[in-house]
Amino acid sequence: MDSIQADVVIIGSGVGGSAVAHRLVGSGARVLMLERGDFLPNESQNSDARAVFGEQRYKTRDIWFDARGAAFRPGQYYHVGGHTKFYGTAMFRFRESDFAATAIDGMTSPAWPIGYGDLAPFYAEAEQLYGVRGAAGFDPTEPPRDAFPHAAIPHEPVIARLAEGLAAQGLRPFPMPSAVDYGPGGTCRRCDSCDAFACRFGAKGDAETRVLRPLLAQGDFRLERRTEVRRLILDDQGRHVVAAEALREGVPIRVEAPVFVLSAGAINSALILLRSACDAAPAGVANRSGVVGRYLMNHHLTGLMGIRPLAVNDTRFPKTLAINDFYHGLPGDEGARGNMQMLGNIRGAMIRPAYPALPGPLADWLGRHSVDVLAMSEDLPDRDSRVRLLPGDRVEVDYRPGGTAAHDRFVRHLRGVLRRAGFPLVLRHRFGIQAPSHQCGTVRMGHDPAQSALDGLCRAHDHPNLHVVDGGFLPSSAALNPALTIAAQALRVGAHLRARRAP
Ligand SMILES: Cc1cc2nc3c(=O)[nH]c(=O)nc-3n(C[C@H](O)[C@H](O)[C@H](O)COP(=O)(O)OP(=O)(O)OC[C@H]3O[C@@H](n4cnc5c(N)ncnc54)[C@H](O)[C@@H]3O)c2cc1C
């Protein structure tokens, strides 16, 4: 078996892994990143809804199984840059309250081992790195912060009218923080295909464009593509990770280093740790607590299409507005809570794969006449919500969402808000675990090694030379998009690793 040596091995090139690389490259350490995917080709299909949604051109061909044994092809994208290649560019900081224990509808959102103050400087760094646009001082739940690196992207007319309709109800719509290179001199062309599509013009603030491409120009960073890590190998005492075994274009290789950073995404990182079970760690690497693969969360996500039958929505970039007035609950119903934010433009070709019986012209009409928003509520962690390996390396995702009833009440309220804002018809679509876009929690952080896999610096309680920096580390999901928080914590971990190398 070929063997490669490095000073730090990072597994996965998503927002977590690339943030650690960003912090370590230039420190003198030989940083090696292993990524199972390749560069996403720049081609016309990147922005073609039929190719992306109909043909599912970029989705993995892997098959997973739900708890009833039903097979599904998950909405997982394996490319350099990870899921940020397709993400919707909403770059929110979590609220101060998200780091504290909260009771919601009789369930508990647990406390984090770190507070907002620990992440604040790294949030600022992550916003700079990803070129986030926004305006401070308008979001009623905003945590303490300085100005955004770039001014907010202005509303187009249809979204400005929606903002007025919300404000008329006493709500406080605010500019949505977004990582798009829009504005004078920017590369964004308002091509109308952003959320859930890859950008052909380098305008989307994804991990490849903003972080990895600049690093690749430097000497001490190496990216091995088409290299899938299968398992981690421990020393005889079971204390240190000594190697990763991988398949590079199908050929086994062994990669050795004194420091390992796992960032393969919440589900895949858990699978790698579980697959690494050995005599010294019979339940899997970093899993003396038994929590690895458990507490899988994905947010409660409902798309709402507000239809004005006589008006065509010609907005090119709608993702400029959000509301957080209900982040801590509805009046008289604290459990029903969450964030509302704009989705990208929904088109007929995106609707039809989910509703094949819907006639094509009707789907296209809905796409043209709708304004599309996303209702997001916190998914509360359940120990029995889990991913695990079955015999034959079959992947089972036994997902148990926590707090569904409260989310349904929140959605009902938002439908009323949209109707009052001028949309007589509001359709809804619930996103499930088949699209695990906000997956998190499977390798949770915590103070107590009996209840968590990682400490507050994402270091495995069981193995001092292993860190896990993807969405798996989140102890709770909050009700806001996770990418900026993953980036901020990974930058914090990277800063710590770099400081440890300093003489
Ligand atoms: C359509 C869509 C829209 C989204 N919109 C938003 C948004 O607007 N805002 C937001 O904050 N979040 C959004 N998200 C979620 C966000 O993209 C993810 O939370 C975030 O990118 C996760 O980063 P990560 O580093 O944890 O993992 P990933 O992005 O999953 O990165 C993991 C990397 O590891 C690689 N990998 C996996 N297994 C292996 C292995 N065995 N060996 C080697 N490499 C491996 C993968 O190919 C991937 O590159 C969206 C997601 C999707 C799918």
Side-chain angles (χ1 to χ4, degrees):
M1 198 189 282
D2 270 0
S3 139
I4 309 179
Q5 271 79 36
D7 295 321
V8 181
V9 167
I10 300 172
I11 299 163
S13 66
V15 70
S18 45
V20 173
H22 173 78
R23 268 305 190 133
L24 285 179
V25 172
S27 67
R30 289 168 304 156
V31 180
L32 171 63
M33 180 175 273
L34 307 174
E35 165 56 52
R36 72 182 277 176
D38 205 339
F39 290 117
L40 185 81
N42 187 323
E43 55 188 12
S44 61
Q45 290 93 335
N46 292 166
S47 52
D48 178 346
R50 272 187 198 85
V52 175
F53 287 86
E55 298 159 20
Q56 307 191 334
R57 182 176 177 86
Y58 302 111
K59 227 165 94 164
T60 180
R61 302 205 165 270
D62 285 0
I63 297 295
W64 292 351
F65 296 86
D66 70 16
R68 295 185 321 278
F72 65 99
R73 190 172 153 207
Q76 291 273 119
Y77 299 89
Y78 299 139
H79 300 96
V80 173
H83 284 100
T84 59
K85 291 306 294 178
F86 291 90
Y87 85 146
T89 72
M91 285 296 236
F92 279 95
R93 298 183 182 201
F94 282 5
R95 317 289 93 168
E96 285 174 292
S97 59
D98 291 325
F99 297 84
T102 317
I104 302 176
D105 235 29
M107 284 167 279
T108 302
S109 170
W112 289 40
I114 59 173
Y116 174 76
D118 296 304
L119 277 192
F122 300 98
Y123 271 132
E125 188 182 345
E127 287 171 345
Q128 199 73 47
L129 191 58
Y130 279 87
V132 178
R133 278 152 212 275
F138 296 97
D139 173 350
T141 62
E142 185 172 80
R145 60 160 303 133
D146 293 332
F148 280 85
H150 305 279
I153 302 176
H155 297 319
E156 292 181 43
V158 169
I159 308 304
R161 270 201 304 279
L162 171 61
E164 284 162 18
L166 297 171
Q169 297 176 52
L171 301 173
R172 292 157 288 179
F174 61 89
M176 175 143 111
S178 181
V180 174
D181 185 19
Y182 172 82
T187 47
C188 176
R189 301 185 184 186
R190 295 228 166 190
C191 70
D192 184 26
S193 306
C194 192
D195 195 352
F197 296 93
C199 181
R200 299 195 63 198
F201 310 108
K204 176 181 278 195
D206 65 51
E208 179 202 352
T209 308
R210 301 288 306 193
V211 189
L212 294 175
R213 290 283 181 183
L215 293 185
L216 283 166
Q218 302 189 34
D220 47 3
F221 178 59
R222 177 172 167 190
L223 171 64
E224 287 284 344
R225 292 168 279 140
R226 300 185 299 276
T227 302
E228 181 184 351
V229 171
R230 299 294 296 162
R231 56 203 300 262
L232 303 178
I233 307 297
L234 297 179
D235 61 15
D236 290 343
Q237 293 70 41
R239 185 78 180 130
H240 291 93
V241 177
V242 292
E245 285 181 358
L247 295 171
R248 186 170 54 187
E249 302 197 31
V251 178
I253 58 165
R254 181 180 163 97
V255 183
E256 296 168 355
V259 177
F260 285 83
V261 177
L262 180 57
S263 191
I267 292 179
N268 278 304
S269 283
L271 293 173
I272 291 170
L273 295 171
L274 294 170
R275 193 181 291 117
S276 306
C278 57
D279 289 347
V285 164
N287 198 24
R288 261 197 305 180
S289 61
V291 302
V292 170
R294 292 182 178 273
Y295 299 104
L296 170 65
M297 298 170 279
N298 190 47
H299 278 149
H300 302 290
L301 298 170
T302 299
L304 296 173
M305 299 179 82
I307 315 269
R308 265 196 194 116
L310 299 180
V312 169
N313 180 5
D314 57 0
T315 309
R316 310 289 297 175
F317 185 77
K319 299 192 62 148
T320 54
L321 175 152
I323 60 169
N324 270 337
D325 296 272
F326 309 121
Y327 199 79
H328 299 297
L330 300 178
D333 183 359
E334 273 202 355
R337 52 171 70 195
N339 159 274
M340 186 192 98
Q341 60 183 258
M342 301 310 298
L343 276 172
N345 289 320
I346 303 293
R347 302 185 209 130
M350 299 160 80
I351 302 170
R352 276 199 297 278
Y355 299 93
L358 196 67
L362 179 55
D364 291 340
W365 185 89
L366 288 172
R368 274 198 311 280
H369 289 264
S370 66
V371 170
D372 310 302
V373 309
L374 182 66
M376 187 182 311
S377 302
E378 180 160 351
D379 185 2
L380 294 159
D382 178 339
R383 191 178 158 81
D384 293 328
S385 179
R386 65 191 296 196
V387 54
R388 63 177 154 191
L389 282 170
L390 300 178
D393 210 48
R394 271 164 58 120
V395 175
E396 183 190 79
V397 181
D398 181 358
Y399 172 56
R400 308 198 184 180
T404 312
H407 176 67
D408 289 343
R409 301 199 300 278
F410 175 54
V411 167
R412 204 174 312 134
H413 186 79
L414 287 187
R415 291 178 86 181
V417 166
L418 289 172
R419 280 192 207 101
R420 288 191 289 281
F423 299 92
L425 179 63
V426 182
L427 305 178
R428 55 179 283 174
H429 171 78
R430 183 71 185 269
F431 297 98
I433 197 66
Q434 278 76 10
S437 53
H438 290 188
Q439 58 186 269
C440 61
T442 49
V443 197
R444 59 183 358 208
M445 293 194 293
H447 288 303
D448 181 357
Q451 305 288 335
S452 57
L454 309 174
D455 69 13
L457 269 167
C458 287
R459 182 171 46 197
H461 291 302
D462 305 348
H463 314 290
N465 71 333
L466 173 65
H467 290 74
V468 183
V469 299
D470 52 48
F473 72 72
L474 271 67
S476 66
S477 63
L480 289 165
N481 321 55
L484 192 75
T485 298
I486 299 170
Q489 171 70 345
L491 287 170
R492 181 169 171 261
V493 172
H496 163 79
L497 290 173
R498 187 171 181 132
R500 267 204 343 204
R501 287 189 57 82

